[in-house]
Amino acid sequence: SSSQEAGKGSTQMNTREFGQMGENSAAEYLKSKGYHILERNLYIGHKEVDIIAENDKYLVFVEVKTRRQLPDSETIFGTPATAVDAKKKQNLVSAAEDYIKKNGCDKIPRIDVVEVFIHPFSEIYNVLDIRHYENTVRKSGKFSRDKYKYNDYN
């Protein structure tokens, strides 16, 4: 395939494959925490949600950010979660609202970010850490109603 030719047989993967591996790691992590995965890489209009999961209480829309960096290192790019900019947050809220309009929701909706840290010096995909930040993207009204008290890990 062309991706193998581009890599000339190396173990390096392209950005899409790398992101997919991170999403796989995040999904396995969420399952280990008791979440049921409902959707992966779901497009709602032009907006993509990496993972939609649920547990007994929450319907969770998850943005996964995977980076080749040590978990507590300082880089010019910041942490993986800092890559979730205002436009991405707006798209996540809009996608969540559209999903709920279409499918209904009897749980509390929440938008989370999962960071997946991959060893920067390893040629193989080597997960060093996974960090799950709950309710990191909020919207006045639907996602931050006073009757629901969310933990805030920001």
Side-chain angles (χ1 to χ4, degrees), residues 29-75:
Y29 169 84
L30 291 167
K31 287 182 203 173
S32 78
K33 297 295 181 189
Y35 289 87
H36 173 69
I37 306 300
L38 299 174
E39 302 279 356
R40 297 269 314 264
N41 304 112
L42 180 68
Y43 279 88
I44 302 166
H46 67 281
K47 303 167 288 261
E48 183 191 13
V49 179
D50 294 331
I51 299 171
I52 301 175
E54 68 179 355
N55 63 14
D56 293 340
K57 188 173 182 180
Y58 296 102
L59 176 65
V60 185
F61 300 84
V62 182
E63 176 67 14
V64 179
K65 290 297 178 189
T66 307
R67 295 289 182 274
R68 280 194 183 275
Q69 76 182 67
L70 299 173
D72 294 311
S73 64
E74 291 290 326
T75 73

Side-chain angles (χ1 to χ4, degrees), residues 93-110:
V93 169
S94 177
E97 289 175 335
D98 291 349
Y99 181 89
I100 290 167
K101 278 181 201 161
K102 182 179 177 188
N103 298 289
C105 178
D106 60 354
K107 299 183 178 184
I108 302 168
R110 192 177 78 198

Side-chain angles (χ1 to χ4, degrees), residues 102-150:
K102 182 179 177 188
N103 298 289
C105 178
D106 60 354
K107 299 183 178 184
I108 302 168
R110 192 177 78 198
I111 300 175
D112 295 1
V113 174
V114 173
E115 296 178 324
V116 180
F117 291 91
I118 307 305
H119 197 294
F121 309 116
S122 177
E123 289 192 19
I124 60 168
Y125 181 85
N126 180 6
V127 177
L128 295 175
D129 196 12
I130 295 177
R131 296 182 180 176
H132 180 194
Y133 300 94
E134 297 179 354
N135 201 42
T136 55
V137 179
R138 297 180 184 212
K139 177 187 187 297
S140 58
K142 191 173 286 186
F143 292 110
S144 60
R145 290 175 286 189
D146 287 339
K147 68 180 181 175
Y148 299 122
K149 298 296 182 192
Y150 298 122

